[in-house]
Amino acid sequence: MAEIKTGGPAFPVPGLQNDADFNGMTLRDYFAANALQTMSLSNNWSDNPLYWESVARSAYVCADAMLRAREVNHG
């Protein structure tokens, strides 16, 4: 299985980038959370857990695409 690229910390603090206990969420998680927010607002509400698992997976698919686009644009 391919390694998941996280994009590093979403909100790095100068001098603490290598402190995994301090940096909090990754850029991938941040992108996914924002994609999930948009998807949940634009779709019909459901109380079916399988629906939300699918939406959550889709949010990470979107986040991974954003990370790949970022690599292309920022090298």
Side-chain angles (χ1 to χ4, degrees), residues 2 4 13 17 19 26 32 36 43 45-46 51 56 59-60 66 69:
I4 296 174
V13 176
Q17 290 91 341
D19 186 349
T26 66
L36 179 62
N43 289 312
W45 182 261
S46 173
Y51 168 78
Y60 275 100
M66 286 189 270

Side-chain angles (χ1 to χ4, degrees), residues 8-14 16-26:
F11 304 102
V13 176
L16 296 175
Q17 290 91 341
N18 295 323
D19 186 349
D21 293 330
F22 185 79
N23 280 317
M25 76 168 43
T26 66

Side-chain angles (χ1 to χ4, degrees), residues 1-74:
M1 179 175 220
E3 178 184 341
I4 296 174
K5 295 183 180 181
T6 66
F11 304 102
V13 176
L16 296 175
Q17 290 91 341
N18 295 323
D19 186 349
D21 293 330
F22 185 79
N23 280 317
M25 76 168 43
T26 66
L27 190 56
R28 182 177 187 249
D29 290 331
Y30 180 74
F31 284 165
N34 283 287
L36 179 62
Q37 185 177 32
T38 301
M39 286 187 275
S40 66
L41 290 174
S42 64
N43 289 312
N44 294 328
W45 182 261
S46 173
D47 60 357
N48 182 338
L50 295 176
Y51 168 78
W52 288 107
E53 287 177 24
S54 174
V55 171
R57 280 192 301 276
S58 296
Y60 275 100
V61 168
C62 183
D64 291 341
M66 286 189 270
L67 287 170
R68 285 191 300 277
R70 190 171 186 264
E71 281 183 18
V72 170
N73 292 323
H74 295 285

